[in-house]
């Protein structure tokens, strides 16, 4: 028998959940929050990541940020940065003021369901179990822990290998500025306790932390109480937002907020990403381009369940766009929108998916959580700040872009323009220089094989030119060519690709060290090697007659090669990770498939 | 059903010291996903105490701490980096550690214990020959102790940039007081003293000395019942080597 009944239970009082709790209570709902750690705000407070570079404006979180800024004066602050403790205090205070009840250091152990309707939870705290009933349950645990307990479907990671992007290990320090030191530490699987625990132990012994000697230059305060997971499992919702939706600026029905960021994936193993993301990252070099993405109501409603909303990091998106829809203010908006949905479902006595959108829209617009002004399209980060992206619409603009510093935008514009510019692109192949190379990349994206001779040359020469399109994570055109030779299933390039696999050491000698993509020559070698391996597999997959030969080559050169360490520096000056086993597992999987 | 020789509740300094001393197959369940919370996350700074280690386990940790500059001649210890050392000890001992794991039941059997756990894998049962609880207030939170909230503060807007000079302010809490009250008291203290809060601890601090006791067949050796984290590692090791 459950001891108490609530309108709404919010599970997980992190970035989205704390806002959901406060908003539900402010709307007059009898609300209860359950949090695993000892404070609210999640990654944005206890996790130490007090500010995110992007995310869109508007919503009730802004009022809370203002209150936190006022309280901030009581907190130690140096170098313009302060630890985000004030926000946690404000969230807690506002929740109490609004009449919300909540419990800390508590874990949900059971979900009560009747048919497909979620009716309550059992949580454990202070060594005791408590059962609570609710009309709506909001799961903002980050990993969809509640939804998992009640059997909802999830997707996780990339199609190729199921891998999510790296997580961050966060430690609070004072040097003497009080701040967080967050380093990409590797990969973590939050659904497997043994794997997760072993990984966290390992992360504690990384050389950033476990030092031979500790000097006085830095004071280590404490570990963040949870790992900085950027991407976990994603709920299968009534609707799903995809990278394709975002790149095509799709207008969603029933939008609840607009997210805004670049596709900020920290993964260095770009070769194993999906085709569209590789086109965006590898061919156009547009990693640093921001975009607004509409998130619809259906993205927080898990398929086949009633009375349950799942948001925050676990909302229903594909794994590529998950890297874009994760900024702090966007997750806070998600929390607010879910609270409004729960309110309307209860007041209108309807299913969550039948919440009257006109009423919801009015509520969201009132606080600015939903604001058409946030539907800004694409913005590029430059030395002069953010500049609106204008895509070329005619041949003249296209040529200007392709021959200059905006080549990536030209490549993407050509992909959008499709057939009508292919012949012109082919003409530009003869003009040589950067224009010809960029035209070849653009042509290849339209599956036009006239690009092949130049692409082969770029790959063979390991061309180290790095276009100036983006400020970060732009690859050499040699690596781009390698990818495209596989994409076009070019059998003539097999010897070139095999040579790159056999002699990737030649790439290590290259003096290309640019930004976080190429921290050192090993990173360059890894990009050539991993993309050549994937290109060979792509060719084998499409050209049956070459399959046996390519598989035999990869068997010998990759799978049976015991000495091939492939060291990669994780983003943000993170740890060095040996990717050799990952590549082997990938090759093995594709060969056996 | 999974079996283990030794099951320990809490990934504390005492826990790893005990596992080190006994050298048995060990499973540890930890409610948080951080090691050594009882000293590091709690900012648990008691009076400095020079610890003399007699056990091989204690000597090993003492050497590691001293070698890395984490232990000064007065016995003061730099707690957070000691957690990184503890992680290394865990890996070296091949301890099977489960973070984010609740112990929901410990049942005494004729020749051991049946322990029920809950974590992201769901409920599991482990058969253990021996169970030791090293948590501050007992696995079922039923042990009464003096509770404090500690905060790292910078007086006069300064952090003294020396490891043992970080100022940790302990504020007493009533047994019924939780995190909301703890934060309120800390903010009030900071306002009154014109101190700047660097960080409020993530775990409650228990500063009283506690002797190991046995209750319902489970040995309770709270790690923070010792003087400091080295004492806990050494003390846990010494206690189990002496008799059980």
């Amino acid at each position: 028998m459950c001891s108490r009944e609530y309108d709404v239970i919010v599970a997980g009082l992190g970035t989205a959940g704390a806002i959901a709790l406060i908003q539900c209570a402010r709307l007059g709902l009898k609300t209860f929050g359950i949090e695993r750690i000892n404070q609210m705000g999640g990654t944005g407070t206890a996790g130490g990541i007090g500010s995110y570079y992007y995310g869109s404006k508007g919503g009730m979180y802004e009022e809370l940020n203002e209150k936190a800024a006022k309280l901030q004066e009581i907190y130690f602050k140096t170098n313009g940065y302060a630890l985000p403790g004030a926000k946690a205090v404000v969230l807690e205070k506002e929740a109490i003021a609004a009449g919300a009840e909540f419990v800390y250091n508590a874990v949900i152990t059971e979900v009560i369901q009747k048919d497909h309707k979620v009716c309550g939870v059992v949580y454990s705290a202070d060594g005791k179990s408590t059962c609570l009933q609710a009309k709506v349950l909001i799961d903002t645990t980050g990993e969809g822990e509640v939804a998992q307990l009640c059997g909802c479907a999830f997707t996780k990671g990339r199609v190729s290998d199921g891998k999510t992007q790296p997580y961050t290990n966060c430690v609070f320090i004072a040097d003497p500025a009080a701040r967080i030191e967050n380093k990409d530490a590797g990969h973590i699987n939050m659904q497997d306790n043994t794997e997760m625990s072993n990984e966290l132990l390992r992360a504690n012994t990384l050389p950033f932390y476990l030092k031979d000697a500790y000097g006085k230059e830095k004071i280590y305060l404490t570990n963040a109480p949870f790992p900085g997971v950027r991407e976990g499992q994603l709920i299968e919702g009534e609707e799903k937002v995809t990278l394709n939706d975002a790149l095509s600026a799709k207008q969603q029905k029933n939008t609840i907020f607009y997210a805004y960021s670049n596709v900020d994936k920290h993964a260095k193993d770009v070769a194993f990403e999906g085709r569209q993301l590789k086109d965006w990252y590898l061919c156009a070099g547009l990693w640093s381009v921001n975009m607004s993405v509409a998130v619809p109501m259906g993205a927080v409603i898990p398929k086949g369940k009633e009375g349950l909303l799942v948001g925050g990091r676990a909302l229903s998106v594909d794994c590529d766009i998950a890297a874009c829809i994760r900024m702090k203010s966007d997750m806070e908006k998600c929390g607010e929108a879910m609270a409004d949905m729960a309110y309307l479902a209860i007041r209108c006595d309807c299913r969550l998916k039948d919440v009257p959108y006109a009423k919801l829209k009015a509520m969201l617009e009132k606080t600015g959580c939903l604001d058409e002004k946030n539907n800004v399209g694409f913005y590029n980060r430059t030395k002069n700040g953010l500049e609106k992206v204008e895509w070329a619409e005619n041949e003249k603009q296209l040529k200007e872009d392709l021959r200059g510093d905006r080549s990536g935008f030209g490549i993407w514009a050509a992909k959008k323009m499709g057939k009508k510019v292919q012949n012109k692109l082919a003409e530009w192949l003869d003009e040589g220089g950067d224009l010809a190379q960029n035209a070849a990349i653009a042509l290849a994206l339209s599956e036009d094989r006239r690009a092949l001779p130049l692409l082969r040359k770029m790959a063979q020469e390991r061309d180290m030119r790095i276009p100036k399109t983006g400020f970060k994570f732009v690859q050499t055109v040699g690596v781009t060519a390698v990818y495209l030779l596989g994409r076009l299933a070019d059998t003539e390039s097999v010897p070139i690709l095999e040579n790159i696999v056999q002699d990737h050491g030649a790439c290590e000698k290259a003096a290309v060290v640019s930004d976080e993509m190429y921290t050192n020559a090993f990173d360059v070698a890894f990009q050539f090697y991993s993309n050549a391996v994937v290109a060979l597999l792509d060719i084998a997959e499409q050209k049956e007659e070459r399959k046996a030969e390519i598989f035999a080559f990869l068997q010998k050169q990759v799978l049976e090669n015991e000495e091939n360490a492939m060291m990669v520096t994780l983003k943000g000056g993170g740890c060095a990770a040996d990717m050799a086993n990952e590549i082997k597992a990938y090759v093995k999987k594709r060969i056996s498939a | 059903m999974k079996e283990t020789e030794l099951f320990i509740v809490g990934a504390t300094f005492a826990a790893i010291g005990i596992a080190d001393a006994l050298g048995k197959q060990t499973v540890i369940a930890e409610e948080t996903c951080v090691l050594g919370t009882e000293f590091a996350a709690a900012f648990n700074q008691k009076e400095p105490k020079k610890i003399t280690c007699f056990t091989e386990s204690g000597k090993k940790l003492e050497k590691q701490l001293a070698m890395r500059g984490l232990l000064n001649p007065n016995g003061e210890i730099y707690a957070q980096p000691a957690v990184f050392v503890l992680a290394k000890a865990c890996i070296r001992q091949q301890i099977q550690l489960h973070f984010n794991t609740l112990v929901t039941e410990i049942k005494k059997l004729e020749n051991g214990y049946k322990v029920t756990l809950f974590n992201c894998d769901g409920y599991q049962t482990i058969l253990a020959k021996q169970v030791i609880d090293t948590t501050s207030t007992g696995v079922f939170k039923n042990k009464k102790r003096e509770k404090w909230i500690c905060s790292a503060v910078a007086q006069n807007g300064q952090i003294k940039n020396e490891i043992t000079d970080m100022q940790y302010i302990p504020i007493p809490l009533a047994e019924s007081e939780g995190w909301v009250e703890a934060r309120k008291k800390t903010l009030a203290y900071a306002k009154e003293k014109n101190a700047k809060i660097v960080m409020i601890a993530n775990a409650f601090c228990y500063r009283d000395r506690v002797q190991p006791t046995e209750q319902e067949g489970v040995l309770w050796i709270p790690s923070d019942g010792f003087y400091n984290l080295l004492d806990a590692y050494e003390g846990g090791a010494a206690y189990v080597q002496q008799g059980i």
Side-chain angles (χ1 to χ4, degrees):
Chain A
M1 237 350 229
C2 286
S3 58
R4 282 168 285 165
E5 193 179 333
Y6 289 86
D7 290 321
V8 178
I9 292 173
V10 182
L13 304 179
T15 312
I19 301 288
L21 180 82
I22 295 166
Q23 179 71 349
C24 282
R26 282 183 178 181
L27 289 169
L29 299 175
K30 193 180 176 197
T31 311
F32 192 85
I34 301 170
E35 170 54 43
R36 186 186 278 274
I37 63 163
N38 70 338
Q39 58 187 287
M40 294 187 197
T43 302
T45 58
I49 314 294
S51 62
Y52 279 68
Y53 22 91
Y54 300 127
S56 63
K57 292 197 170 95
M60 61 95 95
Y61 80 86
E62 289 189 340
E63 166 221 323
L64 302 176
N65 283 356
E66 279 168 25
K67 286 180 176 162
K70 278 184 196 156
L71 184 65
Q72 195 68 59
E73 64 190 33
I74 208 163
Y75 280 82
F76 182 73
K77 188 177 183 181
T78 53
N79 300 346
Y81 192 91
L83 295 176
K87 180 78 177 276
V89 171
V90 166
L91 291 169
E92 184 174 270
K93 215 171 146 188
E94 292 299 319
I96 294 167
E101 297 170 48
F102 53 88
V103 61
Y104 290 131
N105 300 119
V107 177
I108 292 176
T109 54
E110 200 181 322
V111 179
I112 301 152
Q113 297 183 81
K114 197 172 176 188
D115 300 323
H116 294 290
K117 168 94 171 77
V118 174
C119 310
V121 293
V122 177
Y123 73 86
S124 173
D126 281 335
K128 295 181 203 99
S129 281
T130 306
C131 175
L132 301 176
Q133 273 185 298
K135 293 178 183 130
V136 175
L137 208 149
I138 297 178
D139 179 351
T140 38
T141 54
E143 290 294 321
E145 289 170 27
V146 174
Q148 183 166 313
L149 280 173
C150 60
C152 291
F154 287 91
T155 58
K156 192 175 175 193
R158 303 184 290 216
V159 175
S160 68
D161 58 2
K163 211 165 165 186
T164 54
Q165 57 167 320
Y167 79 103
T168 286
N169 193 47
C170 300
V171 178
F172 288 87
I173 63 162
D175 67 349
R179 64 183 179 88
I180 189 89
E181 191 167 79
N182 61 321
K183 302 278 189 190
D184 279 15
H187 295 271
I188 196 158
N189 180 1
M190 296 300 282
Q191 278 70 53
D192 183 307
N193 189 272
T194 303
E195 268 186 45
M196 182 266 285
S197 302
N198 289 343
E199 172 53 33
L200 290 180
L201 268 186
R202 186 195 69 84
N204 269 289
T205 61
L206 287 171
F208 314 121
Y209 307 122
L210 183 61
K211 295 175 186 295
D212 291 340
Y214 291 86
K216 292 180 177 179
E217 72 285 354
K218 188 187 285 185
I219 300 171
Y220 286 87
L221 289 166
T222 189
N223 278 17
F226 45 76
V229 179
R230 293 190 175 82
E231 180 193 344
Q233 57 179 358
L234 306 164
I235 193 79
E236 283 283 311
E238 290 288 335
E239 289 173 86
K240 181 183 252 188
V241 184
T242 67
L243 177 64
N244 192 46
D245 294 341
L247 294 180
S248 58
K250 182 180 168 186
Q251 294 305 302
Q252 302 277 4
K253 273 198 302 179
N254 303 344
T255 298
I256 50 176
F257 67 96
Y258 289 96
Y260 174 74
S261 173
N262 61 323
V263 183
D264 186 6
K265 207 168 213 182
H266 281 222
K268 282 283 194 84
D269 47 2
V270 182
F272 308 128
E273 299 292 350
R275 178 181 275 200
Q276 193 164 33
L277 195 65
K278 284 201 276 191
D279 289 353
W280 182 252
Y281 279 177
L282 262 171
C283 300
L286 297 177
W287 185 93
S288 57
V289 168
N290 294 349
M291 60 194 83
S292 52
V293 188
V295 177
M297 260 173 66
V300 295
I301 304 174
K303 263 185 193 165
K305 289 282 170 206
E306 187 41 45
L308 179 64
L309 293 169
V310 182
R313 195 173 71 220
L315 87 174
S316 177
V317 299
D318 73 12
C319 81
D320 293 332
I321 204 62
C324 176
I325 310 176
R326 66 179 183 85
M327 296 294 122
K328 187 178 173 189
S329 62
D330 296 339
M331 294 299 96
E332 289 177 313
K333 280 163 179 270
C334 185
E336 181 179 338
M338 289 194 294
D340 290 356
M341 286 171 70
Y343 169 80
L344 287 171
I346 292 166
R347 291 289 177 261
C348 302
D349 194 20
C350 65
R351 296 185 307 172
L352 287 159
K353 64 168 115 177
D354 297 330
V355 160
Y357 181 68
K359 284 187 181 173
L360 178 64
K361 189 167 180 257
M363 288 177 80
L364 294 168
E365 283 177 343
K366 197 175 168 190
T367 63
C369 181
L370 176 63
D371 188 343
E372 270 307 311
K373 279 189 224 145
N374 286 328
N375 188 13
V376 293
F378 296 84
Y379 270 80
N380 187 33
R381 183 165 152 184
T382 70
K383 284 175 197 161
N384 306 320
L386 288 166
E387 289 176 0
K388 176 126 179 104
V389 175
E390 303 291 346
W391 305 105
E393 287 175 348
N394 57 51
E395 287 172 6
K396 192 180 165 214
Q397 286 173 340
L398 188 61
K399 190 171 185 181
E400 269 173 32
D401 282 354
L402 288 175
R403 64 153 48 120
D405 288 349
R406 286 177 42 86
S407 60
F409 296 101
I411 289 166
W412 201 256
K415 180 180 157 92
K416 283 156 73 104
M417 290 157 100
K419 275 187 181 169
K420 65 181 179 188
V421 291
Q422 274 176 252
N423 286 337
K424 202 39 91 177
L425 290 169
E427 273 178 35
W428 296 338
L429 291 175
D430 298 329
E431 294 196 22
D434 294 356
L435 173 65
Q437 287 189 336
N438 297 329
I441 294 168
L443 263 183
L445 284 181
S446 298
E447 317 283 336
D448 192 319
R449 302 182 74 80
R450 285 176 286 183
L452 284 171
L454 186 49
L455 291 176
R456 288 183 202 127
K457 187 168 179 280
M458 287 153 70
Q460 188 159 30
E461 291 174 355
R462 279 107 160 133
D463 194 318
M464 298 293 176
R465 179 174 72 85
I466 298 180
K468 292 175 184 163
T469 303
F471 85 105
K472 210 190 251 189
F473 258 47
V474 184
Q475 296 263 11
T476 67
V477 291
V479 170
T480 306
V482 167
Y483 159 58
L484 289 170
L485 291 171
R487 197 181 188 283
L488 290 173
D490 178 40
T491 50
E492 271 188 53
S493 67
V494 169
I496 299 168
L497 298 170
E498 289 184 343
N499 183 261
I500 291 171
V501 171
Q502 278 174 308
D503 190 18
H504 58 272
C507 304
E508 286 174 10
K509 290 172 198 135
V512 178
V513 174
S514 63
D515 57 19
E516 289 174 339
M517 177 53 75
Y518 301 127
T519 311
N520 55 46
F522 294 117
D523 288 344
V524 182
F526 171 72
Q527 294 303 332
F528 273 98
Y529 178 84
S530 56
N531 279 286
V533 166
V534 174
L536 284 165
L537 287 162
D538 287 346
I539 295 168
E541 199 170 87
Q542 295 172 72
K543 303 289 178 185
E544 189 63 35
E545 70 279 11
R546 302 299 294 269
K547 194 177 262 183
E549 166 216 336
I550 291 172
F551 281 4
F553 172 83
L554 291 173
Q555 179 72 31
K556 189 175 168 204
Q557 293 296 327
V558 179
L559 297 180
E560 293 169 15
N561 189 342
E562 298 297 326
E563 294 164 13
N564 239 359
M566 291 304 308
M567 300 310 291
V568 168
T569 311
L570 296 182
K571 193 176 175 296
C575 68
D578 186 354
M579 310 296 273
N581 285 337
E582 183 192 331
I583 296 176
K584 283 180 184 176
Y586 178 87
V587 170
K588 212 170 170 180
K589 188 179 167 192
R590 280 193 67 178
I591 286 181
S592 58
Chain B
M1 202 180 295
K2 202 155 112 182
E3 291 182 22
T4 187
E5 289 180 270
L6 174 63
F7 182 87
I8 305 180
V9 191
T12 61
F13 280 89
I16 316 300
I18 289 165
D20 196 358
L22 293 178
K24 292 177 176 175
Q25 178 200 14
T26 306
V27 174
I28 296 180
E30 166 59 40
E31 214 171 295
T32 72
C33 55
V34 187
L35 291 171
T37 54
E38 77 283 14
F39 287 105
F43 295 153
N44 192 344
Q45 304 271 310
K46 298 179 187 174
E47 291 301 307
K49 170 92 176 168
K50 179 108 185 69
I51 303 298
T52 307
C53 294
F54 297 101
T55 68
E56 285 308 308
S57 308
K59 283 177 191 169
K60 265 189 274 181
L61 182 66
E62 184 180 19
K63 190 180 162 193
Q64 283 285 322
L65 296 176
M67 191 177 81
R68 294 170 197 270
L70 303 178
L71 175 64
N72 75 15
N74 300 328
E76 289 170 315
I77 299 172
Y78 183 7
Q80 174 55 36
V83 166
F84 307 139
V85 176
L86 197 65
K88 196 183 172 198
C90 260
I91 294 170
R92 175 175 50 79
Q93 293 173 44
Q94 297 182 320
I95 290 169
Q96 198 179 330
L97 176 61
H98 292 286
F99 283 122
N100 272 359
T101 298
L102 281 181
V103 177
T104 59
E105 191 181 38
I106 300 174
K107 202 171 171 186
K108 192 153 180 18
L109 307 174
E110 238 173 59
N111 51 357
Y113 298 84
K114 192 173 122 188
V115 182
T116 309
L117 309 177
F118 179 81
N119 58 31
C120 64
D121 299 337
Y123 281 98
Q124 304 123 66
T125 306
I126 295 182
L127 288 180
K129 290 197 179 118
Q130 189 179 344
V131 174
I132 299 174
D133 178 2
T134 66
T135 59
S136 303
T137 53
V139 60
F140 298 114
K141 322 281 182 197
N142 50 5
K143 311 288 198 298
K144 307 280 179 263
R145 293 187 65 192
E146 291 170 26
K147 187 161 74 174
W148 300 71
I149 180 68
C150 294
S151 299
V153 299
Q155 296 285 4
N156 310 314
Q158 295 283 315
I159 287 179
K160 290 185 187 176
N161 201 4
E162 290 177 31
I163 58 170
T164 54
D165 279 352
M166 171 66 87
Q167 296 165 76
Y168 293 100
I169 307 299
I171 299 169
L173 294 171
E175 196 193 324
S176 60
E177 288 181 315
W179 284 104
V180 174
E181 292 84 2
R183 278 187 272 271
K184 269 186 196 163
K185 284 189 169 179
T186 305
L187 260 61
Y189 170 91
K191 268 186 192 158
E192 188 194 319
K193 304 282 181 187
N194 196 27
K196 296 283 182 191
I197 300 167
V198 178
M199 197 176 179
I200 302 174
N202 277 336
F204 288 126
C205 172
Y206 298 91
R207 293 155 61 88
D208 49 331
R209 293 272 293 152
V210 178
Q211 294 301 319
T213 53
E214 198 175 303
Q215 199 174 351
E216 293 171 32
V218 174
L219 184 60
W220 181 48
I221 310 180
S223 187
D224 51 10
F226 293 91
Y227 284 112
N228 59 35
L229 61 90
L230 176 60
D231 190 30
Y233 199 94
E234 161 72 9
Y239 189 88
V240 293
Q241 276 182 343
Q242 279 159 15
I244 60 166

